[in-house]
Amino acid sequence: MNILDIIEKKRDKKELTKEEIQYFVNGYVKEEIADYQMSALVMAIYLNGMTKKEITDLTIEMANSGEILDLSRLGKIIVDKHSTGGVGDKVSICLLPLVASLGVPVAKMSGRGLGFTGGTVDKMQSIPGYKTDIDINSFVENVENIGISMISQTMNLAPADKKLYALRDSISCVESIPLIASSIMSKKIASGAEKIVLDVTVGNGAFMKNIDDAKKLANEMIEIGKLANRETVCVLTNMDEPLGYAVGNNLEVIEAISFLKGIMPEDLKQVVLELGSYMIKLSGICADLEENKRKILENINNGKAFNKFVEMVKNQNGDISYLENIEKFEKAKYIEPIIAQNDGYIHEINAEEVGKVACNLGAGRVKKEDSIDYTVGIVFNKKVADKVKNGDILGYIHANDLERLKIAKEKMKDIIVIENSVKEQTKTIFGICK
């Protein structure tokens, strides 16, 4: 067996065997297969696709290319949640303490932001003192003791996926449904999940720009889940505009804290309730989705969700006084209003462009080694379909650099589109695939 034969086979639209997939995954991780050869194979996969069996075999091999986290000692069903990425996506910070407060164990390894999409780890690190980099034993002990831990990905999980993702990015082969599906599911399997709830975002601020591609991606991941014995549910959510109102690291944490105290933007509330109800169902606690949503709202109203968040932050050395008094969070040097230029209705707030503006302000990374400014970003006052008047404040730009602030203000004039005609609100939840 050799890599040239495998490239030729996939070039000619033939199905690869499990052994051939195992060969190129292991060979690439061990650096026995060169980048230029793997690039040819990835391009062939991108152009010709993969069968369901191929995608599942690729997922399993990538999951097994490194360590596998064993969470069996917790003695409960482990349900993991993952988002395919977006702008203003603070769902994990709102949702996971909530479901933990209802008895669902949360062992969450999260990533950092790159480009216009934010990372949960960066957001959590904006809480002074909070440790995301802890060893695996402490991580599992935290889940045993208080039911929740949220950390950065510290294990050598799915190293084949890390290498393949970097390669795909460098040759413009990121947006391939078989490769995205196997990438996400390999990490979920390696991180010890028995059941998986996926937030598949759809729109200009997401990988999947339209509903048909999102459904294809969701169905591929569900099929992988079935063949890998991992029950998987995908919730298709709207990412045409930023989720909630805040975009930026500590700005999103502040919004999440307010959410857990009962101040819930409607779109964020819908996503949290939908994902949470399925997490509770898959955990075996309660099969009634509407009852699960009621329980979630009850634990917001009675303070149990917020208290669980405080408990987790304290347990990982975070300064909980910031949670109790959000005014303590460091603020950007310049906070400038975004002013409506005319009367009308907001027709568009392009999520991807907002993410790029926030990234340029310093809230995100262009390269992995870039540092993050936790204080900068954008906080909106309005959502798509809202009626506005000339001179209304649509939101605020938080910046620490005057030149970047100037650029952001100019860009926001084009990003927020106001027209005379009434704009109907779009759905937040597009559908469920399971």
Side-chain angles (χ1 to χ4, degrees):
M1 192 182 298
N2 67 71
I3 188 62
L4 294 179
D5 290 339
I6 294 171
I7 293 168
E8 182 180 325
K9 194 172 178 181
K10 183 43 68 179
R11 181 201 67 193
D12 295 341
K13 302 182 182 180
K14 295 175 182 175
E15 185 178 60
L16 301 179
T17 66
K18 181 179 180 179
E19 291 72 27
E20 287 168 331
I21 290 169
Q22 190 174 48
Y23 175 85
F24 80 70
V25 169
N26 290 338
Y28 191 49
V29 171
K30 292 175 182 175
E31 299 186 349
E32 294 166 356
I33 294 173
D35 273 349
Y36 66 86
Q37 293 173 315
M38 188 55 69
S39 295
L41 179 56
V42 167
M43 185 62 76
I45 291 169
Y46 181 87
L47 293 173
N48 297 326
M50 298 183 96
T51 64
K52 286 180 170 42
K53 185 177 183 305
E54 283 179 303
I55 297 169
T56 302
D57 288 341
L58 177 58
T59 303
I60 299 301
E61 289 307 321
M62 289 200 297
N64 288 327
S65 66
E67 298 172 83
I68 302 283
L69 181 58
D70 182 6
L71 298 173
S72 59
R73 76 190 230 198
L74 295 173
K76 290 185 177 182
I77 295 170
I78 304 301
V79 185
D80 202 354
K81 172 263 173 191
H82 180 80
S83 168
T84 56
V87 178
D89 183 357
K90 69 283 297 176
V91 171
S92 288
I93 304 171
C94 301
L95 170 64
L96 299 181
L98 258 170
V99 296
S101 74
L102 288 161
V104 179
V106 172
K108 179 64 174 170
M109 289 188 182
S110 297
R112 300 185 183 279
L114 185 63
F116 68 86
T117 60
T120 300
V121 168
D122 298 317
K123 293 166 192 176
M124 290 304 298
Q125 282 188 325
S126 72
I127 301 171
Y130 186 83
K131 287 185 69 177
T132 60
D133 187 10
I134 63 176
D135 65 78
I136 293 304
N137 283 334
S138 299
F139 173 58
V140 178
E141 283 172 11
N142 287 347
V143 182
E144 280 185 306
N145 294 334
I146 67 166
I148 183 170
S149 188
M150 293 170 65
I151 67 169
S152 57
Q153 192 171 307
T154 55
M155 291 178 71
N156 185 32
L157 295 176
D161 173 60
K162 290 176 193 171
K163 288 198 71 173
L164 275 172
Y165 187 90
L167 183 71
R168 285 162 52 206
D169 196 26
S170 69
I171 60 170
S172 297
C173 286
V174 171
E175 290 161 343
S176 158
I177 287 173
L179 296 174
I180 293 172
S182 57
S183 172
I184 291 169
M185 293 298 284
S186 66
K187 289 192 284 271
K188 294 298 101 183
I189 292 167
S191 62
E194 296 168 80
K195 314 262 185 169
I196 303 165
V197 177
L198 297 171
D199 179 3
V200 180
T201 53
V202 188
N204 55 46
F207 273 133
M208 298 294 106
K209 304 300 183 187
N210 62 71
I211 196 74
D212 289 338
D213 284 347
K215 284 179 179 177
K216 287 176 189 173
L217 174 61
N219 289 326
E220 290 290 5
M221 292 189 289
I222 289 163
E223 284 299 316
I224 294 169
K226 285 177 183 174
L227 293 168
N229 199 28
R230 306 292 200 283
E231 186 177 356
T232 303
V233 173
C234 295
V235 180
L236 308 181
T237 66
N238 189 341
M239 192 46 73
D240 269 333
E241 68 175 317
L243 190 62
Y245 291 98
V247 179
N249 295 283
N250 74 14
L251 301 174
E252 290 187 44
V253 169
I254 290 165
E255 185 170 46
I257 291 166
S258 298
F259 184 98
L260 291 169
K261 289 183 173 179
I263 302 168
M264 297 177 281
E266 185 57 32
D267 57 346
L268 182 58
K269 176 183 174 183
Q270 287 184 38
V271 174
V272 167
L273 287 176
E274 204 68 42
L275 294 170
S277 65
Y278 277 102
M279 288 187 76
I280 296 164
K281 180 179 180 179
L282 265 57
S283 74
I285 291 173
C286 178
D288 186 327
L289 294 172
E290 291 307 312
E291 174 65 12
N292 292 341
K293 290 176 185 178
R294 189 192 65 75
K295 287 179 178 179
I296 288 168
L297 291 173
E298 185 179 304
N299 271 24
I300 289 175
N301 293 331
N302 64 25
K304 288 182 180 178
F306 176 70
N307 290 341
K308 182 58 68 176
F309 185 58
V310 171
E311 189 178 14
M312 178 188 74
V313 170
K314 185 178 181 180
N315 196 49
Q316 289 178 222
N317 298 322
D319 186 341
I320 62 170
S321 68
Y322 284 76
L323 312 186
E324 291 156 352
N325 178 16
I326 56 175
E327 292 302 317
K328 288 191 70 173
F329 277 98
E330 186 183 352
K331 294 176 177 63
K333 191 174 178 181
Y334 309 105
I335 301 175
E336 290 273 330
I338 304 164
I339 307 295
Q341 303 298 305
N342 55 287
D343 296 351
Y345 297 83
I346 297 179
H347 275 240
E348 183 181 15
I349 304 175
N350 186 300
E352 181 173 355
E353 294 305 316
V354 170
K356 288 176 181 176
V357 168
C359 185
N360 188 57
L361 287 168
R365 296 178 182 84
V366 177
K367 304 185 296 294
K368 284 185 179 180
E369 58 270 21
D370 289 348
S371 59
I372 286 280
D373 185 338
Y374 294 123
T375 65
V376 299
I378 302 137
V379 179
F380 294 95
N381 289 348
K382 305 290 184 181
K383 301 288 286 182
V384 169
D386 284 354
K387 186 177 182 179
V388 298
K389 291 182 178 179
N390 186 9
D392 281 356
I393 295 175
L394 305 178
Y396 292 88
I397 299 168
H398 296 239
N400 284 319
D401 179 279
L402 280 173
E403 185 58 33
R404 292 185 180 192
L405 173 61
K406 182 181 176 183
I407 293 167
K409 286 178 78 171
E410 283 303 309
K411 287 188 176 294
M412 291 308 297
K413 290 177 183 177
D414 295 325
I415 289 169
I416 303 175
V417 178
I418 300 171
E419 297 182 5
N420 289 328
S421 59
V422 173
K423 171 70 174 177
E424 287 188 15
Q425 286 187 329
T426 54
K427 288 182 179 179
T428 301
I429 309 294
F430 290 135
I432 312 294
C433 299
K434 55 185 176 176

